[in-house]
Amino acid sequence: MSITSASDGARVVLAGPAPLTAASLLREAGCQVLSASSPAMLLRLAGDAPRPRLILLGETVGDQPGLSLLARMQDDALTRSIPVLYVAQESDEELALALGAADCLTWPLRPLVLLARVQAQLRLASLAGLSGVLP
């Protein structure tokens, strides 16, 4: 499955223990993949220009729970418009969605599902940007 038309070199941040296959798949699909191994790095990458078009957020980033980082990003006007795909156990899906995740993926990551969900979020972000919804 190709997402090249939707990605256009889109900056995607992988935060937390994302498998190398996820980074490789996204690069092959035309995304510019950045990795954040700490909460500070994630927040810096999320706020820096050009801002990422998508964040794949794991259960933990460094020593901080992914859900608390998700809540923190949703509270910040600069980062709340960036779609977040939360990658975790099934039991965290409802809470992640309630905290503002755009979608959730569960382990183990399935390549076609990952690419389809990324494509959907990039298309939605692109449409929202065209209509003036995103800053």
Side-chain angles (χ1 to χ4, degrees):
M1 172 184 280
S2 171
I3 63 170
T4 304
S5 61
S7 70
D8 267 343
R11 288 171 56 106
V12 176
V13 174
L14 299 181
L20 292 175
T21 53
S24 178
L25 283 168
L26 294 173
R27 281 189 188 100
E28 286 177 26
C31 295
Q32 178 188 2
V33 179
L34 306 169
S35 294
S37 57
S38 71
M41 184 182 285
L42 170 60
L43 296 173
R44 183 181 56 78
L45 289 172
D48 282 354
R51 291 186 24 225
R53 291 197 28 219
L54 183 68
I55 296 172
L56 265 71
L57 179 63
E59 290 176 281
T60 58
V61 180
D63 61 352
Q64 192 163 0
L67 289 173
S68 66
L69 285 167
L70 174 61
R72 188 169 167 186
M73 287 188 295
Q74 292 301 308
D75 286 340
D76 186 331
L78 186 64
T79 57
R80 87 170 48 110
S81 63
I82 303 169
V84 174
L85 286 178
Y86 188 69
V87 183
Q89 303 300 317
E90 254 182 73
S91 60
D92 290 337
E93 282 183 306
E94 288 181 29
L95 182 55
L97 292 169
L99 288 172
D103 202 350
C104 295
L105 295 167
T106 56
W107 296 107
L109 289 178
R110 295 168 297 182
L112 292 178
V113 173
L114 169 69
L115 290 175
R117 300 271 177 92
V118 167
Q119 179 182 38
Q121 290 306 316
L122 291 175
R123 282 187 182 155
L124 286 171
S126 178
L127 290 172
L130 289 175
S131 66
V133 174
L134 293 178

